[in-house]
């Protein structure tokens, strides 16, 4: 099967490379990024979303947000104009669940199955092929694409109908942001009290407070390394989608709302391109201390 892959940024590029390594033939397209390294590995470069779709039996998108996905799939020269009967479209971007459903409905009118399959784990797990992949869509299409998803992730779970993948991802993003904030507040306190943050990390990471977030982000914070990874601006996008979705369902989300304002403060301070571990900078500024080695 030929796989079309659209959007080869921080995440999409290593994911596509893992598919090539697994022996799949890829047709790749990105509107802005250069694709020389992926072509050097054997992928064919397409000149539009439509062309990538027309050459593939499975078409994957990995784009920033809802408008990009709508444009790439439903827009002029988009996937919907090129995709052939019998093909499947899978969007792995983190977008608004309602937009996943809108795209799914448009493709269904052409008899093309659509699944939303956002990921968690960030760039390191995209490189390792160990992402957590949360999927929405029909069972039969899921079974067909699962072996491909398993080349990019170590956990692949069908969560429900179209949109359920992105609902699950929003839940994930709330937990991740608030976990980084809690870790930040705690380490700013212990640092200002004069306790070595490295010792605090080693003392608590194996207990109930330990988390995947703590293990991934504390080493970055201690090194003062805020290179993304996952940009603050992308987390703002995810929490906006979470707040919109929550309010549409009549669900108040008070912690998420506070977290959004924290991220907005970081953006106003010029940190929107930093990794989201930069959330610590907000707490450092409040307390007048930095958590570093
Ligand atoms: P990115 O900005 O690095 O990559 C997106 C790519 O899409 C870019 O190369 C861009 O040129 C391309 N693009 C944009 N519009 C396009 C269009 N209309 N047609 C074709 N290509 C287009 O973003 P990323 O960090 O790779 O994230 C992609 C998605 O994965 C986002 O939804 C993000 O929230 C999610 N995600 C990211 C991470 C992470 O750690 N970076 C982790 C989990 C999930």
């Amino acid at each position: 099967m030929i796989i079309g892959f659209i959007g080869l940024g921080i995440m999409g590029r290593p994911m596509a490379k893992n598919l090539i390594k697994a022996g799949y033939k890829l047709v790749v397209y990105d509107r802005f990024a250069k694709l020389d390294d992926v072509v050097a590995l054997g992928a064919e470069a397409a000149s539009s979303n439509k062309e990538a779709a027309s050459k593939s039996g499975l078409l994957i998108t990995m784009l920033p947000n809802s408008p990009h996905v709508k444009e790439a799939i439903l827009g002029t020269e988009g996937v919907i104009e090129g995709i052939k009967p019998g093909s499947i479209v899978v969007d792995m971007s983190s977008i608004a669940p309602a937009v996943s459903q809108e795209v799914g409905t448009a493709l269904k009118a052409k008899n093309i199955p659509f699944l939303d399959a956002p990921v968690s784990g960030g760039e390191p797990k995209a490189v390792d092929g160990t992402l957590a992949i949360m999927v929405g869509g029909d069972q039969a299409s899921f079974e067909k694409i699962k072996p491909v998803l398993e080349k990019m992730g170590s956990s692949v779970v069908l969560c429900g109908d179209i949109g359920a993948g992105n609902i699950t991802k929003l839940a994930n993003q709330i937990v991740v942001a608030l976990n980084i904030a809690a870790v930040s507040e705690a380490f700013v306190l212990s640092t200002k009290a004069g306790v070595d943050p490295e010792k605090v990390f080693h003392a608590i990471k194996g207990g109930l407070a330990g988390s995947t977030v703590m293990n991934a982000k504390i080493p970055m914070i201690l090194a003062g390394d805020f290179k993304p990874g996952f940009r603050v601006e992308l987390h703002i996008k995810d929490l906006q989608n979470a707040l919109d979705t929550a309010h549409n369902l009549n669900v108040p989300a008070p912690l998420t709302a506070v977290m959004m304002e924290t991220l907005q403060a970081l953006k106003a301070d010029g940190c929107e391109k930093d990794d989201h571990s930069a959330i610590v900078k907000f707490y450092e500024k409040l307390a007048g201390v930095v958590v570093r080695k």
Side-chain angles (χ1 to χ4, degrees), residues 88 113 115 137-147 158:
I88 297 177
L115 300 96
D138 70 281
Q139 182 85 40
S141 303
F142 174 73
E143 297 302 340
K144 278 191 204 154
I145 64 159
K146 198 173 172 210
L158 180 64

Side-chain angles (χ1 to χ4, degrees), residues 9-11 30-32 62-64 94 119 122 229-231 237:
I10 290 177
M11 296 296 284
D30 190 295
R31 178 166 288 178
F32 306 107
M62 191 53 167
L63 300 165
S94 307
V119 307
F230 189 73
R231 297 189 299 274
K237 174 263 298 184

Side-chain angles (χ1 to χ4, degrees), residues 6-13 29-33 49 62-65 68 71-72 92-95 119-123 131 169 173 229-231 234 237-238:
I6 294 172
L8 290 97
I10 290 177
M11 296 296 284
R13 190 168 300 253
Y29 176 70
D30 190 295
R31 178 166 288 178
F32 306 107
N49 292 307
M62 191 53 167
L63 300 165
N65 196 9
H68 309 85
E71 206 221 314
M92 302 190 73
S93 330
S94 307
I95 69 168
V119 307
S120 174
E123 190 187 15
L131 292 164
K169 174 68 183 179
Q173 291 306 82
F230 189 73
R231 297 189 299 274
L234 283 179
K237 174 263 298 184
D238 287 338

Side-chain angles (χ1 to χ4, degrees), residues 39-58:
V39 169
L41 292 175
E44 178 188 341
S47 56
S48 68
N49 292 307
K50 177 182 173 180
E51 188 195 341
S54 70
K55 293 184 168 170
S56 50
L58 168 60

Side-chain angles (χ1 to χ4, degrees), residues 187 190-203 222 291-293:
F187 275 73
S190 51
T191 301
K192 191 145 189 190
V195 183
D196 178 354
E198 229 170 347
K199 297 246 165 68
V200 175
F201 178 44
H202 289 304
L222 291 177
V291 181
R292 299 289 178 276
K293 244 188 273 193

Side-chain angles (χ1 to χ4, degrees), residues 20 25-28 35 37-45:
I20 295 170
K25 166 93 183 104
L26 256 66
V27 179
V28 291
L35 300 175
D37 56 335
V38 193
V39 169
L41 292 175
E44 178 188 341

